[in-house]
Amino acid sequence: MNEPLDKLDLRLLQELQKDGRLTNNELGERIALSPSQCSRRRTRLEAEGYIRSYRAYLDRQKLGLDMLVVISVTLATHNRDNARRFSQLINGLPEVLEAYALTGEMDYHLTVATRGLADLSKFVNDVLLPHESVQHVKTSIVLDTLKTFEGFPVLMPGH
């Protein structure tokens, strides 16, 4: 069973969310704890699943992925097998950065990165549309990014 989070745990999570490479010494300086206390807390937060992983945040455009696209998908039929087939398809496509099942008019929302319009066209016309689970696809090219994910709000309960 997970221990309840206290203010120091939340501050530690905030700092690691900003920079996952912080050492326990650096963390301790930022949140006024000893390095050994930071280490114990970090280890517990990892073991309890609050910290799922550490990774590098890469620059999409430097990698040549200049086109960011939001794609809405409607399934051909609404049953468990069709949803499973679509999920398997999406999870095997590295171009798909995020995928969400939705309520409302569209069934899924995908965020996709491609090298350009030709790659987007191939992705939609050769991968998504021919798949047996897909009925309709609507694409919207991102013109400008106003805000990207920079971490979850880490707040004390009740705030």
Side-chain angles (χ1 to χ4, degrees), residues 77-143:
T77 58
H78 292 87
N79 62 51
R80 186 170 290 153
D81 287 341
N82 209 34
R84 183 185 44 75
R85 284 191 295 272
F86 183 73
S87 178
Q88 288 173 338
L89 169 70
I90 294 308
N91 280 293
L93 299 172
E95 302 91 340
V96 177
L97 308 180
E98 297 175 310
Y100 300 98
L102 305 174
T103 61
E105 186 179 330
M106 300 306 248
D107 297 317
Y108 293 91
H109 169 101
L110 313 176
T111 305
V112 173
T114 66
R115 296 194 175 278
L117 200 51
D119 285 351
L120 173 60
S121 179
K122 286 178 192 169
F123 181 79
V124 170
N125 293 315
D126 299 345
V127 178
L128 286 182
L129 284 174
H131 195 268
E132 63 187 343
S133 65
V134 174
Q135 176 185 337
H136 179 74
V137 171
K138 178 181 174 185
T139 61
S140 299
I141 296 171
V142 174
L143 297 177

XYZ file of all heavy atoms in Angstrom, residues 77-143:
529
model
N -16.893 -0.199 -37.042
C -17.920 -0.777 -36.168
C -17.466 -0.595 -34.727
O -16.263 -0.544 -34.447
C -18.138 -2.282 -36.442
O -16.895 -2.970 -36.252
C -18.662 -2.530 -37.835
N -18.430 -0.496 -33.841
C -18.107 -0.266 -32.436
C -18.305 -1.551 -31.640
O -19.379 -1.821 -31.129
C -18.973 0.867 -31.882
C -18.628 2.177 -32.483
N -19.192 2.616 -33.662
C -17.751 3.127 -32.105
C -18.680 3.787 -33.975
N -17.806 4.121 -33.045
N -17.237 -2.323 -31.615
C -17.235 -3.524 -30.786
C -15.834 -3.727 -30.231
O -14.873 -3.092 -30.669
C -17.733 -4.754 -31.570
C -16.854 -5.082 -32.760
O -15.645 -5.186 -32.644
N -17.479 -5.249 -33.926
N -15.730 -4.594 -29.258
C -14.459 -4.796 -28.547
C -13.342 -5.277 -29.475
O -12.209 -4.817 -29.389
C -14.676 -5.765 -27.391
C -13.454 -5.915 -26.513
C -13.751 -6.670 -25.251
N -14.577 -5.820 -24.412
C -15.432 -6.263 -23.518
N -15.604 -7.552 -23.352
N -16.127 -5.441 -22.779
N -13.646 -6.192 -30.399
C -12.612 -6.723 -31.294
C -12.067 -5.635 -32.219
O -10.865 -5.571 -32.466
C -13.150 -7.890 -32.123
C -13.322 -9.155 -31.300
O -12.705 -9.251 -30.221
O -14.079 -10.038 -31.742
N -12.944 -4.810 -32.740
C -12.505 -3.742 -33.639
C -11.636 -2.729 -32.880
O -10.615 -2.273 -33.389
C -13.716 -3.053 -34.271
C -13.393 -2.496 -35.623
O -12.595 -3.063 -36.365
N -14.003 -1.382 -35.938
N -12.042 -2.370 -31.679
C -11.254 -1.451 -30.858
C -9.888 -2.055 -30.547
O -8.869 -1.356 -30.568
C -12.004 -1.118 -29.570
N -9.835 -3.355 -30.270
C -8.571 -4.028 -29.989
C -7.663 -4.015 -31.222
O -6.472 -3.739 -31.124
C -8.834 -5.473 -29.535
C -7.572 -6.245 -29.155
C -7.846 -7.705 -28.824
N -8.750 -8.381 -29.735
C -8.435 -8.797 -30.965
N -7.230 -8.597 -31.445
N -9.324 -9.409 -31.726
N -8.236 -4.285 -32.403
C -7.434 -4.265 -33.638
C -6.861 -2.873 -33.893
O -5.710 -2.724 -34.281
C -8.281 -4.727 -34.837
C -8.495 -6.218 -34.891
C -9.097 -6.662 -36.221
N -10.443 -6.144 -36.426
C -11.551 -6.732 -36.018
N -11.482 -7.885 -35.374
N -12.731 -6.198 -36.259
N -7.682 -1.844 -33.665
C -7.205 -0.478 -33.867
C -6.100 -0.148 -32.864
O -5.080 0.429 -33.225
C -8.355 0.523 -33.745
C -7.920 1.936 -34.010
C -7.625 2.354 -35.299
C -7.785 2.843 -32.970
C -7.206 3.649 -35.551
C -7.370 4.133 -33.206
C -7.077 4.538 -34.502
N -6.272 -0.539 -31.632
C -5.261 -0.298 -30.605
C -3.943 -0.977 -30.961
O -2.867 -0.389 -30.814
C -5.768 -0.804 -29.251
O -4.797 -0.623 -28.262
N -4.015 -2.203 -31.445
C -2.802 -2.917 -31.867
C -2.112 -2.193 -33.010
O -0.885 -2.074 -33.028
C -3.131 -4.353 -32.259
C -3.459 -5.227 -31.078
C -3.960 -6.608 -31.488
O -4.444 -6.809 -32.600
N -3.850 -7.557 -30.571
N -2.896 -1.718 -33.973
C -2.325 -0.958 -35.084
C -1.584 0.274 -34.562
O -0.411 0.479 -34.878
C -3.430 -0.521 -36.058
C -3.010 0.504 -37.118
C -2.075 -0.127 -38.142
C -4.240 1.112 -37.784
N -2.252 1.075 -33.758
C -1.701 2.344 -33.284
C -0.453 2.137 -32.435
O 0.521 2.875 -32.547
C -2.789 3.120 -32.490
C -3.913 3.533 -33.422
C -2.212 4.311 -31.757
C -3.472 4.271 -34.654
N -0.482 1.128 -31.586
C 0.668 0.882 -30.711
C 1.902 0.405 -31.466
O 3.000 0.463 -30.925
C 0.281 -0.086 -29.588
C -0.450 0.637 -28.483
O 0.125 1.465 -27.793
N -1.727 0.343 -28.334
N 1.733 -0.007 -32.702
C 2.872 -0.417 -33.514
C 3.386 0.666 -34.454
O 4.264 0.403 -35.277
N 2.852 1.890 -34.345
C 3.233 2.964 -35.265
C 4.042 4.037 -34.538
O 3.493 4.780 -33.719
C 1.975 3.593 -35.881
C 1.091 2.655 -36.705
C -0.207 3.353 -37.084
C 1.844 2.180 -37.934
N 5.340 4.143 -34.825
C 6.164 5.123 -34.117
C 5.785 6.576 -34.400
O 6.092 7.461 -33.601
C 7.588 4.820 -34.609
C 7.410 4.082 -35.888
C 6.099 3.358 -35.783
N 5.098 6.831 -35.515
C 4.674 8.199 -35.835
C 3.634 8.721 -34.838
O 3.482 9.925 -34.659
C 4.038 8.281 -37.235
C 4.911 7.831 -38.364
C 4.753 6.348 -38.688
O 4.274 5.562 -37.833
O 5.104 5.964 -39.812
N 2.912 7.804 -34.208
C 1.854 8.189 -33.270
C 2.490 8.510 -31.918
O 3.043 7.639 -31.255
C 0.792 7.077 -33.128
C -0.262 7.477 -32.098
C 0.151 6.793 -34.471
N 2.416 9.784 -31.543
C 2.997 10.232 -30.290
C 2.059 9.992 -29.117
O 2.497 9.653 -28.015
C 3.339 11.722 -30.368
C 4.190 12.162 -31.553
C 4.434 13.656 -31.495
C 5.496 11.393 -31.602
N 0.773 10.225 -29.354
C -0.244 10.039 -28.332
C -1.510 9.534 -29.000
O -1.771 9.873 -30.158
C -0.585 11.360 -27.634
C 0.567 11.988 -26.884
C 0.198 13.347 -26.319
O -0.336 14.188 -27.074
O 0.433 13.542 -25.119
N -2.290 8.751 -28.264
C -3.570 8.264 -28.782
C -4.550 8.181 -27.621
O -4.227 7.635 -26.568
C -3.395 6.897 -29.437
N -5.740 8.737 -27.852
C -6.768 8.773 -26.818
C -8.085 8.246 -27.375
O -8.489 8.633 -28.468
C -6.992 10.208 -26.330
C -5.757 10.847 -25.750
C -4.973 11.701 -26.522
C -5.377 10.594 -24.439
C -3.836 12.283 -26.000
C -4.239 11.179 -23.911
C -3.474 12.022 -24.686
O -2.335 12.597 -24.166
N -8.751 7.389 -26.603
C -10.121 6.987 -26.906
C -11.026 8.072 -26.331
O -10.799 8.541 -25.213
C -10.435 5.635 -26.280
N -12.040 8.479 -27.102
C -12.865 9.621 -26.720
C -14.338 9.266 -26.609
O -14.802 8.291 -27.199
C -12.740 10.725 -27.786
C -11.359 11.223 -28.144
C -11.457 12.190 -29.315
C -10.710 11.891 -26.954
N -15.061 10.131 -25.913
C -16.508 10.133 -26.000
C -16.858 11.150 -27.077
O -16.015 11.945 -27.485
C -17.158 10.565 -24.670
O -16.725 11.897 -24.361
C -16.782 9.629 -23.541
N -18.081 11.136 -27.553
C -18.489 12.148 -28.517
C -18.453 11.656 -29.947
O -18.516 10.459 -30.225
N -18.316 12.608 -30.862
C -18.447 12.339 -32.294
C -17.348 11.429 -32.838
O -17.606 10.525 -33.620
C -18.435 13.677 -33.042
C -18.717 13.550 -34.519
C -18.721 14.903 -35.211
O -19.064 15.908 -34.570
O -18.364 14.933 -36.394
N -16.106 11.684 -32.470
C -14.984 10.877 -32.954
C -14.604 9.848 -31.898
O -14.769 10.083 -30.714
C -13.777 11.771 -33.261
C -14.076 12.827 -34.318
S -14.721 12.117 -35.819
C -13.389 12.411 -36.930
N -14.078 8.714 -32.343
C -13.728 7.641 -31.409
C -12.326 7.789 -30.831
O -12.100 7.430 -29.678
C -13.849 6.288 -32.107
C -15.269 6.000 -32.540
O -16.195 6.258 -31.744
O -15.460 5.536 -33.688
N -11.387 8.308 -31.653
C -9.995 8.416 -31.218
C -9.404 9.742 -31.673
O -9.790 10.294 -32.698
C -9.150 7.266 -31.798
C -9.548 5.935 -31.244
C -10.505 5.164 -31.875
C -8.991 5.457 -30.065
C -10.899 3.942 -31.362
C -9.379 4.244 -29.534
C -10.330 3.496 -30.187
O -10.730 2.289 -29.665
N -8.443 10.190 -30.903
C -7.675 11.398 -31.217
C -6.211 10.977 -31.178
O -5.740 10.435 -30.174
C -7.973 12.462 -30.146
C -7.076 13.636 -30.181
N -7.451 14.824 -30.745
C -5.822 13.819 -29.713
C -6.452 15.685 -30.608
N -5.469 15.105 -29.988
N -5.507 11.197 -32.269
C -4.091 10.849 -32.374
C -3.269 12.115 -32.569
O -3.694 13.019 -33.284
C -3.834 9.929 -33.570
C -4.742 8.729 -33.791
C -4.361 8.013 -35.080
C -4.689 7.796 -32.608
N -2.112 12.142 -31.968
C -1.125 13.173 -32.278
C -0.001 12.450 -33.009
O 0.546 11.464 -32.501
C -0.597 13.861 -31.005
O -1.705 14.370 -30.265
C 0.339 15.001 -31.361
N 0.316 12.932 -34.202
C 1.241 12.233 -35.096
C 2.318 13.206 -35.563
O 2.035 14.370 -35.843
C 0.463 11.677 -36.319
C 1.384 11.087 -37.355
C -0.572 10.656 -35.862
N 3.556 12.732 -35.654
C 4.663 13.528 -36.185
C 5.194 12.859 -37.446
O 5.459 11.654 -37.452
C 5.780 13.657 -35.150
N 5.320 13.664 -38.513
C 5.877 13.147 -39.773
C 6.917 14.123 -40.299
O 7.011 15.258 -39.854
C 4.785 12.931 -40.851
O 4.244 14.193 -41.225
C 3.688 12.014 -40.350
N 7.669 13.679 -41.296
C 8.707 14.518 -41.894
C 8.131 15.585 -42.820
O 8.787 16.552 -43.121
C 9.712 13.660 -42.648
C 10.471 12.731 -41.724
C 11.687 12.122 -42.390
N 12.434 11.338 -41.429
C 13.300 11.837 -40.563
N 13.524 13.125 -40.530
N 13.932 11.055 -39.714
N 6.906 15.387 -43.273
C 6.303 16.355 -44.176
C 4.992 15.836 -44.723
O 4.481 14.789 -44.296
N 4.463 16.567 -45.695
C 3.154 16.252 -46.260
C 3.124 14.895 -46.963
O 2.143 14.151 -46.848
C 2.751 17.366 -47.226
C 1.281 17.500 -47.561
C 0.421 17.558 -46.305
C 1.049 18.728 -48.411
N 4.192 14.548 -47.657
C 4.225 13.254 -48.354
C 4.155 12.101 -47.352
O 3.413 11.126 -47.573
C 5.489 13.134 -49.206
N 4.883 12.204 -46.254
C 4.840 11.152 -45.233
C 3.476 11.108 -44.550
O 2.979 10.032 -44.221
C 5.934 11.354 -44.187
C 7.312 10.964 -44.703
O 7.408 10.381 -45.803
O 8.299 11.253 -43.999
N 2.873 12.266 -44.337
C 1.532 12.306 -43.754
C 0.535 11.611 -44.691
O -0.290 10.814 -44.250
C 1.093 13.739 -43.488
C -0.363 13.908 -43.029
C -0.623 13.160 -41.729
C -0.699 15.382 -42.912
N 0.629 11.909 -45.971
C -0.261 11.303 -46.955
C -0.122 9.783 -46.954
O -1.124 9.053 -46.951
C 0.036 11.866 -48.344
O -0.798 11.262 -49.300
N 1.113 9.281 -46.924
C 1.342 7.831 -46.872
C 0.761 7.239 -45.597
O 0.151 6.161 -45.614
C 2.840 7.516 -46.944
C 3.436 7.699 -48.304
C 4.935 7.401 -48.265
C 5.585 7.867 -49.549
N 7.051 7.852 -49.462
N 0.959 7.923 -44.479
C 0.465 7.437 -43.200
C -1.061 7.308 -43.223
O -1.616 6.280 -42.838
C 0.915 8.373 -42.068
C 0.467 7.941 -40.712
C 1.142 6.935 -40.032
C -0.627 8.523 -40.106
C 0.721 6.520 -38.781
C -1.050 8.117 -38.855
C -0.377 7.109 -38.187
N -1.737 8.339 -43.690
C -3.206 8.327 -43.723
C -3.727 7.354 -44.778
O -4.573 6.503 -44.497
C -3.759 9.752 -43.963
C -5.254 9.713 -44.237
C -3.448 10.649 -42.770
N -3.203 7.460 -46.008
C -3.768 6.695 -47.124
C -3.299 5.245 -47.206
O -4.021 4.395 -47.734
C -3.464 7.400 -48.441
C -4.199 8.710 -48.539
O -5.384 8.809 -48.224
N -3.491 9.758 -48.935
N -2.093 4.965 -46.708
C -1.552 3.604 -46.823
C -1.599 2.821 -45.514
O -1.432 1.606 -45.525
C -0.110 3.640 -47.330
C 0.016 4.264 -48.713
O -1.018 4.419 -49.402
O 1.143 4.615 -49.104
N -1.790 3.514 -44.389
C -1.784 2.818 -43.097
C -3.148 2.899 -42.409
O -3.743 1.874 -42.099
C -0.673 3.390 -42.172
C -0.707 2.712 -40.816
C 0.702 3.246 -42.811
N -3.625 4.109 -42.175
C -4.876 4.253 -41.414
C -6.113 3.850 -42.210
O -6.883 2.981 -41.790
C -5.046 5.694 -40.917
C -4.176 6.138 -39.759
C -4.520 7.569 -39.364
C -4.318 5.218 -38.562
N -6.343 4.504 -43.344
C -7.593 4.283 -44.095
C -7.798 2.840 -44.558
O -8.924 2.343 -44.508
C -7.701 5.253 -45.265
C -8.073 6.685 -44.873
C -8.008 7.607 -46.071
C -9.461 6.730 -44.229
N -6.757 2.144 -45.015
C -6.988 0.761 -45.456
C -7.241 -0.221 -44.309
O -7.686 -1.339 -44.552
C -5.692 0.379 -46.176
C -4.937 1.629 -46.382
C -5.409 2.597 -45.356
N -6.958 0.178 -43.069
C -7.116 -0.768 -41.964
C -8.591 -1.104 -41.764
O -9.454 -0.223 -41.799
C -6.508 -0.191 -40.684
C -6.315 -1.213 -39.633
N -7.261 -1.480 -38.679
C -5.284 -2.065 -39.400
C -6.823 -2.446 -37.886
N -5.626 -2.815 -38.305
N -8.854 -2.376 -41.546
C -10.226 -2.869 -41.449
C -11.052 -2.207 -40.352
O -12.274 -2.128 -40.447
C -10.213 -4.376 -41.220
C -9.538 -4.752 -39.901
C -9.346 -6.251 -39.722
O -9.987 -7.033 -40.436
O -8.544 -6.610 -38.853
N -10.409 -1.703 -39.317
C -11.149 -1.134 -38.189
C -11.571 0.315 -38.417
O -12.429 0.828 -37.714
C -10.297 -1.216 -36.917
O -9.141 -0.394 -37.046
N -10.982 0.979 -39.424
C -11.171 2.423 -39.600
C -12.247 2.740 -40.634
O -12.238 2.208 -41.742
C -9.828 3.082 -40.014
C -10.018 4.555 -40.347
C -8.788 2.898 -38.919
N -13.150 3.642 -40.276
C -14.166 4.112 -41.216
C -13.831 5.499 -41.749
O -13.915 5.744 -42.945
C -15.538 4.177 -40.549
C -16.609 4.767 -41.466
C -17.939 4.934 -40.746
O -18.207 4.264 -39.766
N -18.754 5.836 -41.243
N -13.443 6.420 -40.861
C -13.260 7.823 -41.247
C -12.050 8.409 -40.528
O -11.826 8.124 -39.360
C -14.521 8.619 -40.897
C -14.436 10.068 -41.235
N -14.518 10.543 -42.519
C -14.266 11.148 -40.442
C -14.404 11.860 -42.499
N -14.254 12.256 -41.261
N -11.304 9.245 -41.258
C -10.138 9.922 -40.702
C -10.228 11.404 -41.039
O -10.541 11.761 -42.180
C -8.829 9.335 -41.296
C -7.616 10.155 -40.912
C -8.649 7.884 -40.876
N -9.979 12.239 -40.061
C -9.963 13.690 -40.273
C -8.633 14.217 -39.741
O -8.291 13.998 -38.583
C -11.127 14.340 -39.515
C -11.176 15.842 -39.638
C -12.349 16.391 -38.833
C -12.310 17.902 -38.826
N -13.361 18.456 -37.945
N -7.875 14.895 -40.612
C -6.567 15.404 -40.198
C -6.589 16.917 -40.050
O -7.276 17.620 -40.795
C -5.469 15.035 -41.223
O -5.796 15.632 -42.472
C -5.332 13.536 -41.378
N -5.832 17.393 -39.088
C -5.634 18.828 -38.866
C -4.153 19.050 -38.625
O -3.584 18.495 -37.681
C -6.425 19.308 -37.647
O -7.805 19.097 -37.821
N -3.530 19.846 -39.481
C -2.104 20.135 -39.344
C -1.927 21.239 -38.309
O -2.615 22.258 -38.345
C -1.502 20.541 -40.702
C -1.580 19.363 -41.673
C -0.063 21.022 -40.539
C -1.211 19.698 -43.095
N -1.008 21.027 -37.379
C -0.723 22.011 -36.339
C 0.067 23.156 -36.964
O 1.127 22.937 -37.549
C 0.059 21.373 -35.174
C 0.496 22.422 -34.164
C -0.772 20.285 -34.502
N -0.465 24.369 -36.838
C 0.218 25.556 -37.364
C 1.206 26.145 -36.368
O 2.252 26.657 -36.747
C -0.815 26.635 -37.736
C -1.794 26.265 -38.844
C -2.796 27.396 -39.041
C -1.046 25.960 -40.130
